Amino acid sequence: MQEKHSHENHNISYSKYLLVWVSLIAFTSITVTIAGIDLGDYTLAIALTIAAIKSALVINIFMHIKFEDPIFKVFLSISGFTLIVIFTLTFFDYFYR
Amino acid sequence: MSNHAVNIAHKHRDDIGARMGMWLFLFTELLLFGGLFLIYAVYRHEYIAQFRVAAMELNTTIGALNTIILLTSSLTVALSIAALQKGNRMLSILLLIMTNILAFAFMINKYFEWSSKIHHGIYPGSEHLLNLPNGQILFYGLYYIMTGLHGLHVIIGLVFLTTVLAFIITGSVNKDNYVKLENAGLYWHLVDLIWIFLFPLFYLIQ
């Protein structure tokens, strides 16, 4: 029964999901529009920033992480951190060899 | 409902544990794709001009269309879970069928996209491709491996979602026990998440 109650908390209304979907589509059109403009080296940075915002929306709302127990957030941070460490170490090696 | 709850109460069930198991699996998927993104990052840095030339060949319209299809399917699966939680079984089934149709539409687009590339002689090991500079060969190699692995995930997701759909229809996944649907949804959102990064990295380089 305990679990059922914690479940009840992440009953999100349909309209909130729709709102997230609208923002996701909006961000997609922004990223496509920006790609059409020549911004040189900034294009990739902007595209990846928008992709990061979109994934934050998906993870928090669609995947319910915002409403999960803290342990889920800890696990997610650890795996994200691992990925960042791997990327950083590789690029350190790559740039200074 | 109370009678039903009493009936299942003595069965051991741990929904949080089930979801956590799914998340742990998703982290291994993250590392799998993370490695490929790392290879992409290093080679793009090495061959930035050639990656740009090769990416021009990709069809941005199909890529954008597939992005919208996947984002919408993510919405329908999230809504399907919400509908089942609220006890609206028919709506949940309908939304899950819609998710399946969208996933199928994604694969059809992918089929046309790949066959047009193959028709133009661009596929791993083709004579045309091997005559191109190294950077372009690498770009297309990564394109086929990463979108191919993603496509495989779409197919697995389709099977996963269809199985859960059958469970909802037979009633073993229901208002009081829907963790299987949640886990299928989590898997499907991961497929969407990976595409959110694949799309700009392959289709939006100008």
Side-chain angles (χ1 to χ4, degrees), chain B residues 91-104:
Chain B
L91 183 63
S92 172
I93 290 173
L94 215 68
L95 284 162
L96 210 51
I97 291 172
M98 255 176 80
T99 313
N100 276 319
I101 293 170
L102 287 165
F104 206 70

Side-chain angles (χ1 to χ4, degrees), chain B residues 23 87 100 126 138 149 166 194:
Chain B
W23 271 103
N100 276 319
S126 75
L138 282 166
L149 189 63
I194 292 162

Side-chain angles (χ1 to χ4, degrees), chain B residues 97-165:
Chain B
I97 291 172
M98 255 176 80
T99 313
N100 276 319
I101 293 170
L102 287 165
F104 206 70
F106 179 92
M107 288 314 288
I108 289 171
N109 266 338
K110 192 99 268 175
Y111 167 77
F112 282 119
E113 191 194 338
W114 273 31
S115 42
S116 106
K117 286 282 154 310
I118 292 166
H119 187 72
H120 286 103
I122 300 171
Y123 53 88
S126 75
E127 206 179 320
H128 173 69
L129 192 60
L130 289 179
N131 285 325
L132 292 174
N134 279 344
Q136 295 194 37
I137 299 175
L138 282 166
F139 178 86
Y140 281 114
L142 285 167
Y143 164 74
Y144 275 107
I145 288 185
M146 290 175 84
T147 63
L149 189 63
H150 178 263
L152 185 67
H153 279 75
V154 172
I155 293 169
I156 296 168
L158 247 168
V159 174
F160 199 169
L161 289 169
T162 312
T163 312
V164 175
L165 178 65

Side-chain angles (χ1 to χ4, degrees), chain A residues 13-59:
Chain A
S13 66
Y14 297 139
S15 55
K16 188 159 187 187
Y17 283 127
L18 270 170
L19 196 67
V20 170
W21 176 74
V22 169
S23 351
L24 287 171
I25 299 291
F27 277 122
T28 306
S29 30
I30 291 171
T31 196
V32 172
T33 314
I34 287 178
I37 311 165
D38 188 18
L39 291 171
D41 297 338
Y42 293 111
T43 314
L44 179 68
I46 294 169
L48 286 181
T49 310
I50 292 176
I53 297 170
K54 282 165 77 179
S55 33
L57 277 172
V58 171
I59 292 170

Side-chain angles (χ1 to χ4, degrees), chain B residues 38-102:
Chain B
L38 186 61
I39 297 171
Y40 175 93
V42 169
Y43 281 129
R44 176 169 168 151
H45 192 263
E46 180 109 14
Y47 298 101
I48 189 145
Q50 291 178 26
F51 263 49
R52 195 164 287 160
V53 173
M56 290 294 208
E57 288 290 312
L58 293 187
N59 192 331
T60 311
T61 316
I62 288 194
L65 186 65
N66 265 349
T67 307
I68 292 168
I69 288 175
L70 268 195
L71 289 174
T72 311
S73 71
S74 246
L75 170 75
T76 52
V77 78
L79 286 176
S80 170
I81 298 167
L84 196 63
Q85 282 174 335
K86 293 187 202 322
N88 200 338
R89 183 165 159 269
M90 257 344 268
L91 183 63
S92 172
I93 290 173
L94 215 68
L95 284 162
L96 210 51
I97 291 172
M98 255 176 80
T99 313
N100 276 319
I101 293 170
L102 287 165

Side-chain angles (χ1 to χ4, degrees), chain A residues 7 11 35 55 68 94-95, chain B residues 19 45-46 85 178 193 206:
Chain A
H7 248 175
N11 264 357
S55 33
E68 283 284 10
Y94 182 70
F95 283 133
Chain B
R19 285 205 304 280
H45 192 263
E46 180 109 14
Q85 282 174 335
Y178 47 79
L193 274 179
Q206 302 287 336

